[in-house]
Amino acid sequence: MIFNFISGNCTPESAALADLAVGERGILYDFSLSHDVAEYLMNLGFVPGLEVTVANSGPGGDPRIYRVDGTEVALRKELSKLITVLPVAVAAY
Amino acid sequence: MTPISELTPQEAATAQAYRTVAVVGPPNSGKTTLFNRLTGLRQKVGNFPGVTVEHHTGVLKMNGGREVALIDLPGVYSLTPKSEDEKVTVDVLNGDMDGIPRPDAIILVLDSTNLNRHLMLAARVIALGLPTLVLLNMADELHNQGGHIDVLSMARQLGTPVALVSAVSGQGLGAVQNFMSSAARAPEPLELPVVQDARLCREWAVRVGAKAHYHRPATPLWTRRLDSVFLHRIWGPVIFGVVVIGVFQTIFSVGQPLSNGLQFLLDRSAVWMSVVLPHGVVQSLLVNGVWKGTGAVLVFLPQILLLFLVIGILEDSGYLSRAAVIADKTMARVGLNGKSFIPLLSAYACAVPAIMATRTIENKRDRTATILIAPFMTCSARLPVYTMIIAAFIPNHPLLGVFFGTRAAAMLGLYVLGFLMAVFTAKLLKSSVLKSKDAQFVMEMPPYRWPTMSSLLLRLLDRCKAFVYRAGTVILGISILLWVLTNFPMHNGQPPAIQDSVVAMVGKTIEPAIRPLGFDWKIGVGLLTSIAAREVIISTLGTLYGVDPQSHSMDLQTVLRHELSPAGAIALLVFFAFAMQCMSTIAVVRRETNGWKWPILQFAYMTAVAYVSAFIAFRIVNLFWT
């Protein structure tokens, strides 16, 4: 596992992707994932700095579909809780 | 567009004659539609040597009559050889794949409505240095939804020819002909990112797009609207249930009459053949051996094609990906994920394409587990066996109105039985030998699209060929072999009494082993021949009882009632629900798992489960049904 604990990862505003509510947006910031998985997600559109929106989900709210970089990708909660996002306003600043 | 005729003689002389061109693109870029459009019926399917990845090769006819081989490579997001699909793509492009010549050039297909992401693959492909044509597909969607791109600027930056095309309508595809007859030149991009770094590739893609005034079109609203219905908290699962039931309903209500019609034609032609052909050994071989044997299998063709058609429509429209999301939670309970749902649903048609469809599951252990449980799903080859035995032994009493009687309940029970055994086996595998640490489910949702007639038809044609080929080889061979075994040794040119034939000797040898299940030697022969394919037991019993003077005037159901006890019949149903009697499945498992280990284990396991369950069923029914 590669843990990218860059300073600022623990800013009060950062949140796990899994914790966003349906319809909420965030800016992708960091992955606490192995290099291979992170690379795979990036090729699918989960590139840090891009905006991600929470869309529909399967029954019971898991897995959820995320709108990112012009596409929609379904992820399970166990994965999306390892992805850190920043609030849209902060990242824009 | 510049057809060959417009080239100057000098240009035509220097034009490099491409022989092999690879088609590369990310999933959902419309690559396969384009490939079908370019090659039509001039394509064939094969496996890359040594690996389990399937590929299509096709022939593109040039304006001048020259032919170019096109290789359709698996859809990939990047060229880092991590998954098997990507490794194959990289190997083929580098010329490291045995039996496949290194491509002279590449056609790269990208979705023009999502270039920021799809251009990431372009960086990696261009870096290979092969002459490349970049096709920006789905031009019609780009324009209709208010998108824009400057193709010339894009071509300048990438250093390759670029064309805006629509594989569905054929718009702009003249560029392919033009590219094939142009001089081969390696790409000369203005700049390339470090291709291993996804982040840098993405930044480069945005820069290239911005310089080419790329304006991404709005996501079509109706995809979101449809999703808000299909993935609705309550309606989503309801629609999911309706779709699954609808798939089965279609096969029974539409497929069954078609099969019956085909059966009628086959029976009539058999009668006609026995009238036309002179009486004797040849007539018997052709009518009873060849025609009736293969015919018994061919009658399922309508049902199988129908199922593939329905699943094809669901897949091409984009619904199956949503179904996978809905099913994921449930699949997680047995240790699998939503991606296993699609293969398992197709396994109700036939385990062979289902096992091939497991390729979309990245996790190797999940994939193996799915392959191992798929044959427990009630495939269409079991249907005729179930139908025959149920019709012979279970009287039809209405249970819930006229539409749901005891026979329908028995049939449903067998479906449930297979499903439960699949669930049990999955749990068993996923908690022991195939336990995986991080179960992941990452799946891109393609936008909803109308399925195109041509791609559906090509798919059906593929399946039809495979099925008829099987009927014409394996099943024909077994039918003839069985006919020979039942008609020899001959005495004075007359076939022997069935009890004295070779086949009876074989059957009686294994009889002690199957006695405990309530089967006699004739059923035993049926079990042996049906290892080739389940439905073969019907033609086998038809032949065995047909040549027996005591039963040849009765229909198969009446004979069965005479020959088999009710307990034996139930045991036979249970045996068929669990046993892996299908050579095609064994062959495809060997191919997909790259060795004999899994198919042998699977065959042994399923046969053992079938034997023990049939034995238990026989004992229980004997207690209550006297």
Side-chain angles (χ1 to χ4, degrees):
Chain A
M1 299 276 275
I2 295 175
F3 292 93
N4 293 323
F5 280 114
I6 312 164
S7 63
N9 193 19
C10 307
T11 51
E13 296 92 348
S14 74
L17 185 55
D19 294 336
L20 294 189
V22 175
E24 274 192 323
R25 295 175 300 159
I27 302 292
L28 286 166
Y29 184 64
D30 198 12
F31 306 104
S32 308
L33 291 163
S34 70
H35 180 74
D36 284 7
V37 180
E39 180 82 14
Y40 183 70
L41 286 177
M42 279 197 253
N43 283 320
L44 271 165
F46 287 82
V47 181
L50 292 186
E51 187 181 291
V52 57
T53 312
V54 183
N56 309 76
S57 68
D62 191 29
R64 278 208 302 200
I65 293 174
Y66 296 95
R67 222 167 266 154
V68 64
D69 205 11
T71 187
E72 300 192 336
V73 180
L75 297 182
R76 276 188 187 169
K77 201 168 237 160
E78 49 195 302
L79 202 60
S80 59
K81 70 184 179 199
L82 300 175
I83 301 172
T84 319
V85 290
L86 295 178
V88 175
V90 170
Y93 167 75
Chain B
M1 169 177 165
T2 320
I4 293 176
S5 55
E6 289 177 24
L7 293 172
T8 64
Q10 289 93 332
E11 275 177 317
T14 54
Q16 162 87 33
Y18 293 135
R19 283 181 302 269
T20 312
V21 176
V23 184
V24 185
N28 304 318
S29 59
K31 194 171 59 69
T32 303
T33 315
L34 181 98
F35 182 77
N36 287 341
R37 181 109 205 167
L38 290 176
T39 61
L41 295 173
R42 301 177 299 274
Q43 52 172 281
K44 55 174 194 266
V45 196
N47 259 48
F48 288 115
V51 285
T52 63
V53 177
E54 193 181 58
H55 70 118
H56 283 74
T57 48
V59 173
L60 171 68
K61 275 220 191 293
M62 302 284 294
N63 287 341
R66 199 160 60 82
E67 293 187 345
V68 178
L70 283 192
I71 310 173
D72 189 19
L73 291 172
V76 291
Y77 293 109
S78 75
L79 293 181
T80 13
K82 269 170 197 139
S83 79
E84 200 157 35
D85 279 0
E86 288 173 358
K87 193 172 172 345
V88 164
T89 304
V90 174
D91 283 354
V92 170
L93 293 179
N94 289 332
D96 293 337
M97 181 65 71
D98 290 340
I100 311 260
R102 185 176 196 217
D104 307 308
I106 297 173
I107 295 178
L108 175 65
V109 188
L110 306 175
D111 179 357
S112 67
T113 68
N114 196 357
L115 275 188
N116 289 344
R117 197 162 61 88
H118 278 193
L119 273 177
M120 290 165 73
L121 182 65
R124 285 129 175 188
V125 169
I126 288 170
L128 294 172
L130 284 174
T132 303
L133 168 68
V134 178
L135 295 182
L136 308 177
N137 196 9
M138 319 218 181
D140 36 4
E141 283 184 40
L142 180 80
H143 288 144
N144 293 343
Q145 292 152 29
H148 173 79
I149 179 85
D150 179 351
V151 175
L152 282 179
S153 162
M154 182 71 80
R156 240 187 339 269
Q157 294 182 71
L158 298 180
T160 66
V162 175
L164 199 53
V165 301
S166 165
V168 175
S169 71
Q171 173 201 335
L173 289 183
V176 175
Q177 294 270 348
N178 201 14
F179 172 68
M180 299 287 191
S181 47
S182 68
R185 235 183 303 158
E188 292 157 354
L190 291 184
E191 66 152 319
L192 271 188
V194 180
V195 293
Q196 285 80 14
D197 191 320
R199 205 184 302 213
L200 292 177
C201 281
R202 178 61 169 64
E203 281 163 9
W204 170 85
V206 174
R207 267 200 308 282
V208 169
K211 280 190 205 155
H213 307 290
Y214 177 56
H215 177 67
R216 190 164 76 193
T219 314
L221 265 180
W222 48 288
T223 284
R224 291 195 184 168
R225 288 201 184 122
L226 282 176
D227 263 348
S228 63
V229 178
F230 289 138
L231 290 169
H232 186 269
R233 218 157 31 89
I234 297 153
W235 296 118
V238 171
I239 293 171
F240 176 83
V242 170
V243 166
V244 172
I245 293 169
V247 170
F248 293 124
Q249 194 57 37
T250 314
I251 292 153
F252 286 115
S253 59
V254 184
Q256 200 78 57
L258 286 176
S259 285
N260 291 345
L262 194 57
Q263 179 75 66
F264 177 77
L265 289 179
L266 285 166
D267 288 347
R268 272 303 169 90
S269 54
V271 172
W272 177 80
M273 277 168 76
S274 26
V275 173
V276 172
L277 293 169
H279 192 77
V281 176
V282 176
Q283 183 219 43
S284 167
L285 172 67
L286 285 180
V287 177
N288 294 323
V290 174
W291 196 247
K292 283 191 177 166
T294 47
V297 178
L298 277 181
V299 288
F300 304 115
L301 194 57
Q303 292 185 50
I304 291 174
L305 289 187
L306 203 61
L307 199 102
F308 281 116
L309 179 69
V310 175
I311 289 179
I313 292 172
L314 289 177
E315 195 174 348
D316 288 2
S317 66
Y319 181 74
L320 270 194
S321 309
R322 275 75 184 181
V325 170
I326 292 176
D328 181 62
K329 193 101 187 174
T330 316
M331 303 297 292
R333 293 217 183 105
V334 293
L336 293 172
N337 71 53
K339 287 191 184 179
S340 301
F341 168 76
I342 298 167
L344 292 180
L345 181 68
S346 349
Y348 280 102
C350 177
V352 174
I355 286 164
M356 294 197 285
T358 59
R359 288 178 187 146
T360 51
I361 306 169
E362 292 97 4
N363 185 311
K364 254 210 150 103
R365 289 166 165 239
D366 282 6
R367 182 172 173 214
T368 309
T370 310
I371 289 175
L372 294 181
I373 65 170
F376 278 120
M377 300 299 171
T378 305
C379 69
S380 49
R382 285 184 178 100
L383 267 184
V385 184
Y386 289 174
T387 312
M388 179 186 71
I389 301 172
I390 287 175
F393 286 91
I394 296 178
N396 205 10
H397 297 303
L399 287 178
L400 294 168
V402 279
F403 292 110
F404 193 76
T406 39
R407 284 181 181 170
M411 186 68 94
L412 189 67
L414 288 164
Y415 271 84
V416 173
L417 205 61
F419 175 77
L420 290 179
M421 190 49 79
V423 169
F424 171 78
T425 308
K427 277 221 146 183
L428 194 73
L429 289 168
K430 290 302 293 177
S431 56
S432 58
V433 280
L434 291 175
K435 197 182 225 165
S436 42
K437 263 184 283 164
D438 42 4
Q440 270 147 12
F441 175 71
V442 180
M443 194 170 188
E444 190 179 358
M445 299 286 115
Y448 291 101
R449 292 200 168 100
W450 282 112
T452 62
M453 197 55 109
S454 59
S455 95
L456 287 175
L457 288 180
L458 274 174
R459 209 189 284 221
L460 288 191
L461 196 72
D462 239 27
R463 294 327 333 163
C464 203
K465 270 197 251 173
F467 190 83
V468 172
Y469 179 78
R470 188 172 77 148
T473 51
V474 176
I475 292 167
L476 177 66
I478 288 179
S479 302
I480 293 176
L481 179 73
L482 193 71
W483 180 87
V484 170
L485 293 181
T486 46
N487 283 278
F488 284 86
M490 284 201 180
H491 299 292
N492 311 321
Q494 289 297 311
I498 184 78
Q499 298 87 337
D500 303 325
S501 65
V502 179
V503 76
M505 282 187 271
V506 176
K508 281 172 181 160
T509 314
I510 65 158
E511 198 173 23
I514 53 172
R515 249 299 142 224
L517 312 182
F519 306 155
D520 65 1
W521 68 265
K522 287 177 186 164
I523 301 283
V525 172
L527 293 184
L528 284 183
T529 56
S530 63
I531 289 175
R534 296 179 175 90
E535 61 274 25
V536 171
I537 192 173
I538 296 179
S539 52
T540 302
L541 293 180
T543 311
L544 288 181
Y545 296 133
V547 292
D548 190 339
Q550 286 187 325
S551 55
H552 82 275
S553 58
M554 294 186 257
D555 69 61
L556 201 49
Q557 292 178 13
T558 321
V559 186
L560 269 180
R561 270 200 297 274
H562 282 274
E563 299 268 332
L564 202 59
S565 68
I570 302 294
L572 192 59
L573 284 174
V574 172
F575 190 90
F576 267 84
F578 296 149
M580 189 187 186
Q581 286 151 300
C582 181
M583 285 198 317
S584 313
T585 308
I586 296 171
V588 80
V589 173
R590 195 209 71 83
R591 204 177 66 183
E592 295 295 309
T593 58
N594 228 342
W596 280 109
K597 181 180 105 179
W598 288 114
I600 288 172
L601 276 175
Q602 186 177 23
F603 183 78
Y605 171 76
M606 292 184 74
T607 308
V609 168
Y611 188 91
V612 172
S613 312
F615 177 74
I616 295 170
F618 180 68
R619 281 304 161 105
I620 292 177
V621 178
N622 254 348
L623 284 180
F624 295 104
W625 193 337
T626 40

